[in-house]
Each structure stands twice: as structure tokens, then as C-alpha cells.
Amino acid sequence: KEVMVKKFGKHGLQMWEYANGIDESEVRYLPEKPKGIGNSITLPENVTEIEKLEEILLSLSEHVTYRLRKYKMKGVRPWLFIALLLLMM
């Protein structure tokens, strides 16, 4: 602690306190409307059946539409991003 104060002054004390979980400032929580809504999933294995993929996409889209309704948001630019990871062994 003393080294931090000597090197950085009052900011050193503040950094030391934060690093040690000490913060006496008042906590203010103001919930905000999210800027965007999305959902993703990492599958444990490759899925090749179209019916299973449709089921997964439907579930993801239902979660997104639920949250859009919850925050009274409209999908201005809906988009779909599907990432494929190929592992070379």
C-alpha cells in the first residue's frame, strides 16, 4: 500500500483499495434498455440433420423475440450469423 501511495500519490491509494476490494462509494443502479438483443449457442457436436438445425434456430429466435417484446423493441435490422468451426486434426 505504502509503495503505491509513494509512487502514485492519492491515485495509488485508490488503485490499491480497488485492487483489494475496497470501495466506499455509493452504488447506483439504473436499469437501461439494451441497445440490441441477440442469442447464441455453442453446440457440443456437429449437427447435420436439417430438422434438428431448424429446431435449434427456432428456439434461439423465440428467446430473442421474447426479449424484444419484454423491452418493447422492434427488430429494425434482423440478421443471422452462423459460425462454422472446422477443426483440423
Side-chain angles (χ1 to χ4, degrees):
K1 178 177 174 178
E2 291 78 23
V3 172
M4 293 291 289
V5 173
K6 186 175 180 180
K7 184 149 180 101
F8 299 106
K10 66 180 181 178
H11 296 293
L13 175 61
Q14 187 177 35
M15 287 188 286
W16 184 89
E17 288 176 344
Y18 287 167
N20 287 279
I22 301 168
D23 183 5
E24 300 296 326
S25 61
E26 179 184 345
V27 175
R28 292 185 223 159
Y29 176 72
L30 301 173
E32 294 182 10
K33 188 175 179 178
K35 294 179 183 177
I37 303 277
N39 205 6
S40 66
I41 187 172
T42 301
L43 301 174
E45 56 189 34
N46 293 337
V47 177
T48 56
E49 301 86 32
I50 294 297
E51 295 81 19
K52 184 64 178 171
L53 290 171
E54 288 174 343
E55 181 183 318
I56 293 166
L57 289 173
L58 177 61
S59 175
L60 291 171
S61 64
E62 285 175 342
H63 288 314
V64 169
T65 55
Y66 167 78
R67 291 199 310 275
L68 285 170
R69 287 187 200 104
K70 178 180 174 182
Y71 292 106
K72 297 180 171 72
M73 297 174 71
K74 293 181 181 177
V76 178
R77 282 180 244 143
W79 58 277
L80 174 64
F81 176 77
I82 299 176
L84 300 174
L85 178 61
L86 301 175
L87 297 176
M88 304 287 286
M89 295 188 150

